[in-house]
Amino acid sequence: MFLPPVAYNPWTDVRKREDVQKLNVSFPYGPIPKDFQLRIRQHYYAAVSYMDAQVGRLLATLDALGLTDSTMVVFTSDHGWSLGEHGEWAKYSNFDVVTRVPLIMFVPGVTAPHSSPGESTFPFIDILTQPEYNFTNARVIQNTVELVDVFPTLSSLASLPELKECPEVPEASSQVKLCTEGRNLTKTFFQPEKGKNPDIMAFSQYPRPSDAPQNNSDLPDLQDIKVMGYSMRNWAYRYTLWLGFNPRTFKVNLTDVHGGELYMLEDDPRQDDNVYEGLDHVMLMKKMASLPPVRFDWLQ
């Protein structure tokens, strides 16, 4: 694995649960017993199934009210959740399992034809009593998208005025009433993808108070942040640098590297094999330096 200590999420909020405290798991790397891990996953999947059913009921209500043909639907989330991958739990890291979220969009007349009279676009299906139904993805975008892309895309699909890009100097954004750092992806609804584009990146970052895991590693106060993990991800790899950070000036020190991670996703989709130490990083640093300034300002 070769995970740098600064990258590890010691899941302190999970440790505060009474049932977990009774396990007497050592801090920070002691594993949760396997039988208890299975119970956590079972409860999590049950919660997901319950939520999925509620979404189904909500969509079926759109049909019942005759609102489906005039309503765009976006199903997404604010973060993922670790269920024991990399020995971690909860949501305090830069791994895919935490940063990736579902993003499903319904646009009437675009992603599906307008419904005919008496026809249901979203019939409620109880998978426990109707197991014969299968679910297929009508269309999946291969290239990376970000949640910041949702707002400009929805605005365009709703025929609202085009959003301006935020200024390249971050401080100037406060002087602009409305701007976006996301991409308008309306064309992806009408044109097929031309293949995988390695230049399309998604970005995330997470703070740490120290190089080694400690009690406040997952949720450090601003004044305690000493290291910031900056991560970029495309369809081929995830690259993360943990760099010295000044919480008073909000500046990062590019020469103060506390750890690095590089996962080649075709051979390592679960990001278990960190090959950062064994690679020449010139190509990746050139890639980062060529990014548009508004997307690169977190490394200035």
Side-chain angles (χ1 to χ4, degrees), residues 278-298:
L279 224 69
D280 180 1
H281 302 280
V282 173
M283 177 271 294
L284 288 169
M285 292 307 293
K286 284 183 178 178
K287 171 80 73 176
M288 296 169 79
S290 67
L291 294 171
V294 74
R295 304 314 311 274
F296 193 55
D297 56 22
W298 42 260

Side-chain angles (χ1 to χ4, degrees), residues 103-125:
L103 181 56
I104 305 170
M105 295 183 64
F106 167 79
V107 182
V110 177
T111 58
H114 289 292
S115 55
S116 303
E119 182 185 32
S120 177
T121 302
F122 297 119
F124 178 71
I125 297 171

Side-chain angles (χ1 to χ4, degrees), residues 44-60:
Y44 184 86
Y45 295 146
V48 169
S49 297
Y50 175 78
M51 182 62 197
D52 184 65
Q54 306 321 304
V55 172
R57 289 188 168 91
L58 180 64
L59 294 177

Side-chain angles (χ1 to χ4, degrees), residues 13-271:
D13 54 350
V14 175
R15 294 173 188 273
K16 293 175 183 177
R17 290 173 48 113
E18 288 186 9
D19 53 353
V20 175
Q21 287 182 1
K22 292 176 181 177
L23 299 174
N24 199 27
V25 176
S26 62
F27 185 91
Y29 297 115
I32 291 178
K34 288 188 176 180
D35 60 335
F36 200 89
Q37 291 186 29
L38 293 175
R39 288 171 55 195
I40 293 176
R41 294 189 188 104
Q42 180 187 36
H43 296 163
Y44 184 86
Y45 295 146
V48 169
S49 297
Y50 175 78
M51 182 62 197
D52 184 65
Q54 306 321 304
V55 172
R57 289 188 168 91
L58 180 64
L59 294 177
T61 303
L62 278 181
D63 276 342
L65 296 174
L67 297 174
T68 302
D69 286 343
S70 60
T71 305
M72 286 190 286
V73 179
V74 180
F75 179 82
T76 189
S77 176
D78 56 343
H79 57 75
W81 196 262
S82 292
L83 289 170
E85 299 89 349
H86 318 108
E88 299 180 342
W89 303 85
K91 58 178 181 179
Y92 308 109
S93 77
N94 274 317
F95 282 116
D96 264 20
V97 71
V98 170
T99 59
R100 291 189 72 185
V101 296
L103 181 56
I104 305 170
M105 295 183 64
F106 167 79
V107 182
V110 177
T111 58
H114 289 292
S115 55
S116 303
E119 182 185 32
S120 177
T121 302
F122 297 119
F124 178 71
I125 297 171
D126 185 344
I127 59 171
L128 298 179
T129 59
Q130 299 167 284
E132 69 275 12
Y133 283 93
N134 348 326
F135 299 88
T136 56
N137 295 309
R139 187 171 169 208
V140 178
I141 301 301
Q142 298 180 82
N143 285 303
T144 307
V145 299
E146 299 180 277
L147 291 181
V148 292
D149 301 331
V150 173
F151 182 36
T153 302
L154 283 180
S155 297
S156 174
L157 288 167
S159 300
L160 296 174
E162 185 176 357
L163 291 167
K164 295 180 179 179
E165 288 188 8
C166 292
E168 294 183 356
V169 180
E171 291 79 4
S173 295
S174 61
Q175 307 302 317
V176 180
K177 274 191 174 181
L178 191 61
C179 65
T180 180
E181 291 186 4
R183 296 174 295 143
N184 179 357
L185 299 179
T186 299
K187 65 180 181 181
T188 63
F189 290 88
F190 301 96
Q191 302 173 6
E193 282 187 297
K194 296 180 180 179
K196 294 178 178 178
N197 184 344
D199 293 327
I200 299 178
M201 297 283 180
F203 301 88
S204 62
Q205 65 185 78
Y206 205 82
R208 291 285 189 246
S210 62
D211 284 343
Q214 58 188 46
N215 285 327
N216 65 338
S217 287
D218 292 344
L219 290 170
D221 292 333
L222 175 60
Q223 67 269 19
D224 296 328
I225 298 173
K226 303 293 189 299
V227 184
M228 189 69 74
Y230 295 99
S231 190
M232 64 180 190
R233 206 270 202 202
N234 66 3
W235 64 267
Y237 60 81
R238 176 177 286 282
Y239 182 57
T240 304
L241 283 178
W242 297 88
L243 302 170
F245 182 82
N246 187 325
R248 292 180 296 278
T249 62
F250 296 94
K251 297 296 182 181
V252 64
N253 183 350
L254 285 172
T255 64
D256 183 19
V257 180
H258 293 244
E261 300 169 78
L262 177 61
Y263 305 99
M264 308 309 293
L265 301 175
E266 184 174 359
D267 297 323
D268 183 26
R270 296 191 303 180
Q271 299 168 26

